[in-house]
């Protein structure tokens, strides 16, 4: 491999974990890493984005991409009838639709994600080994971190076998598995993440929480919609993370997650778009909506924190420690937004504007591991 440097000039760079806004800077990339970020534009740059805003690629920390191939199915049904296991509409469709259609659906989600600047997805794939394989087939060759969390079917599959091919284990709920099997997962899965849905419905929240924390000893939980302040405090004490999916919770009318408590107790947090069959997998929308909920709860938050939960904080929770920061020695996976189309020059608070107004429509370029992997054709308007 030629150890060539690539230099990217940009109007603004959101540098480091603090997202310091540096005007007129250039990024030096060596192999797949960021070697340095320097003030001023380089005369020998490979890419020049005078109106561009460079920030890390986003992380969609919880999705079911397989649902994408049956969008808006069964809208008249209840939450349990539509996505509850195992006889719900979703699971029937996943079992009966042609596999190629599911693969095509997942691939579409990944390509869409890249185009809007989401470069990490944690896909909670259903149907054990077969489900993992469909996901890996769909993601083959795409410039994105596609992390499969495997779902064992009712304690019949060896978790070690599953994580040979998957990034971790992702249970639909710890209920329905024996305590022995939950312990078996913990004892046999090393160096991979263990996660489970918890507390999406109020009636199961307490039992799911206890099993997730005390028996499965999950690294992070998903949803926590009906967890109370004490639960969140306990998660913080035990250094467990949480992935919130507020838009999905609203759509399925299960409740509003305790985002305020999660941030107050400083849990390591991520956001996810959840079921791609019913929720547009657009993390920018999730980001804005999360802030709206916090405002409704009269909880003040620095937009920096919101940016961190869709970048390095979520990446770390998922086990990617060198992703999600535009900083030295981090992976050179970042996106460039168009400051002009965003009206960025009118902003009194640049980071707040990115949280509230960022979106796929403003993407100028997407870099993954040092390579330019996407740039929309810009038509001039005159
Ligand atoms: Zn889910």
């Amino acid at each position: 491999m030629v150890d060539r440097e690539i230099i990217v000039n940009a109007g603004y760079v959101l540098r480091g974990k603090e997202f310091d806004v540096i005007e007129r800077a250039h990024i030096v990339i060596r192999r797949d890493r960021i070697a340095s970020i320097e003030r001023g534009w380089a005369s020998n740059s490979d890419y020049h984005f005078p109106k561009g805003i460079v920030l890390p690629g986003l992380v969609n920390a919880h999705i079911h991409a397989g649902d994408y191939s049956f969008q808006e199915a069964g809208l008249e049904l209840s939450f349990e009838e539509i996505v509850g296991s195992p006889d719900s509409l979703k699971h029937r469709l996943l079992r009966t639709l042609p596999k190629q259609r599911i693969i095509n659906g997942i691939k579409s989600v990944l390509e869409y994600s890249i185009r809007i600047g989401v470069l990490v997805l944690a896909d909670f794939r259903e149907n054990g080994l077969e489900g993992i394989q469909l996901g890996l087939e769909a993601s083959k060759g795409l410039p994105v971190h596609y992390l499969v969390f495997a779902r064992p079917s009712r304690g019949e599959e060896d978790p070690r076998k599953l994580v040979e091919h998957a990034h971790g284990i992702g249970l639909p709920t710890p209920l329905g598995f024996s305590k022995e099997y939950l312990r078996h997962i913990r004892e046999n899965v090393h160096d991979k993440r263990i996660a489970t849905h918890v507390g999406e419905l109020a009636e199961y929240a307490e039992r799911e929480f206890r099993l997730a924390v005390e028996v499965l000893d999950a690294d992070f939980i998903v949803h926590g919609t009906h967890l109370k302040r004490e639960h969140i405090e306990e998660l913080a004490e035990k250094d467990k993370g949480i992935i919130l999916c507020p838009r999905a919770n609203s759509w399925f009318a299960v409740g509003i997650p305790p985002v305020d408590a999660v941030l107050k107790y400083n849990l390591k947090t991520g956001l996810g778009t959840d079921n791609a069959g019913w929720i547009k997998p657009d993390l920018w929308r999730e980001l804005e909506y999360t802030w709206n909920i916090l405002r409704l709860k009269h909880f003040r938050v620095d937009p920096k924190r919101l940016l961190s939960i869709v970048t390095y904080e979520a990446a770390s929770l998922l086990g990617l420690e060198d992703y999600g920061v535009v900083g030295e020695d981090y992976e050179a996976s970042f996106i460039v937004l168009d400051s002009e189309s965003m009206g960025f020059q009118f902003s009194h608070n640049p980071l707040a504007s990115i949280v509230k107004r960022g979106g796929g429509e403003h993407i100028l370029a997407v870099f993954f591991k040092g390579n330019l992997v996407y740039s929309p054709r810009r038509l001039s308007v005159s």
Side-chain angles (χ1 to χ4, degrees), residues 62 64 197 223 274:
H62 183 72
H64 302 274
H197 293 72
H223 289 308
D274 209 11

Side-chain angles (χ1 to χ4, degrees), residues 315-326:
S316 160
L317 200 46
L318 296 170
L320 303 180
E321 295 296 344
D322 57 355
Y323 175 97
V325 178
V326 182

Side-chain angles (χ1 to χ4, degrees), residues 210-226:
R210 289 289 143 225
L211 288 172
V213 171
E214 290 164 13
V215 185
L216 180 65
D217 191 17
D219 298 300
F220 63 88
I221 64 156
V222 178
H223 289 308
T225 320
H226 291 281

